[in-house]
Amino acid sequence: MQVEKIILHSEWGRDISHKHIKNDNPSVAVFFPGQNYSCELPLLYYTGRSAYDAGHDLLMLEYGYQSARTAFEEAKVDQLIHECYTSINQIINDYNDVVFVSKSLGTYIAGKTAELFKERSIRHMFLTPIRSTIPIIEKFGGLVVSGTKDPVFHEDDIEHIEGFPNTEVLRIKDANHILEVSDLHQSLKILKNLVEVSSGFFNHK
């Protein structure tokens, strides 16, 4: 395993540092964090481990506002998408297969970034999407994981996307926006289930 840093200057006045984990794999999984949910937190960390074990290199993104330790501003979302595109463009031509794994706000960012790679076929895993991601899910399909008690993405939103083509939806009963429930042990079971499902997803190339 070789860990490199992709460092670029950001609109937010600070350098952004993306972790690129390489093992001479022909596939790469790119991870888009949530608004306040980094790639080091459980959902993305363990799906990242799952992707690596399935034979993917990893690119763990950091957003410019996160590096600058400031709040997300919706008015700057286009700059955020452009920075993600520029960063991924540094390495994408080294790979035959590309997967985008995204969480919450990252599901929208990932979809809009994928639209800029017009010549590439990109598979998607959407973890706890937001409502603005619905047209993106309809366009690209992929694996969607959402909790039935998510205050951001409601059960009727889940029902809406279940009829989309090439879309697999995993409902997590009673789980919130970080796929947790009130019981600790049940939350750990949910995380274990997510790892098992993601392993199947990543092994299907």
Side-chain angles (χ1 to χ4, degrees), residues 40-107:
E40 305 301 322
L41 291 175
L43 297 180
L44 295 178
Y45 174 80
Y46 284 106
T47 51
R49 289 282 304 271
S50 178
Y52 187 82
D53 287 350
H56 293 70
D57 286 0
L58 309 178
L59 179 61
M60 316 300 275
L61 296 177
E62 177 185 51
Y63 302 140
Y65 75 86
Q66 292 174 332
S67 176
R69 304 294 188 265
T70 61
F72 169 67
E73 298 174 61
E74 193 170 344
K76 290 188 175 182
V77 70
D78 287 342
Q79 291 97 315
L80 189 55
I81 293 163
H82 175 73
E83 290 185 358
C84 289
Y85 171 77
T86 301
S87 301
I88 297 164
N89 214 27
Q90 307 290 311
I91 58 103
I92 195 169
N93 289 330
D94 296 336
Y95 297 97
N96 298 326
D97 301 301
V98 182
V99 182
F100 282 3
V101 181
S102 52
K103 164 82 175 84
S104 190
L105 171 68
T107 62

Side-chain angles (χ1 to χ4, degrees), residues 1-6 17-31 39-40 44-45 47-53 55-61 91 94-95:
M1 180 193 298
Q2 180 181 0
V3 180
E4 298 180 350
K5 296 284 188 179
I6 296 176
S17 178
H18 311 303
K19 187 185 294 184
H20 187 201
I21 301 171
K22 303 169 63 177
N23 199 29
D24 296 322
N25 289 309
S27 306
V28 64
V30 182
F31 286 75
C39 291
E40 305 301 322
L44 295 178
Y45 174 80
T47 51
R49 289 282 304 271
S50 178
Y52 187 82
D53 287 350
H56 293 70
D57 286 0
L58 309 178
L59 179 61
M60 316 300 275
L61 296 177
I91 58 103
D94 296 336
Y95 297 97

Side-chain angles (χ1 to χ4, degrees), residues 158-205:
I158 298 174
E159 290 170 3
H160 184 187
I161 65 173
E162 282 181 324
F164 289 168
N166 305 312
T167 302
E168 178 185 354
V169 180
L170 175 61
R171 292 173 178 242
I172 306 296
K173 187 176 181 341
D174 295 332
N176 60 19
H177 194 57
I178 54 173
L179 298 183
E180 292 183 355
V181 295
S182 58
D183 181 83
L184 170 62
H185 296 285
Q186 185 59 32
S187 294
L188 292 174
K189 286 181 180 178
I190 290 169
L191 185 58
K192 182 175 183 290
N193 183 37
L194 176 63
V195 169
E196 291 170 351
V197 170
S198 62
S199 292
F201 175 83
F202 291 123
N203 277 296
H204 181 71
K205 299 177 185 177

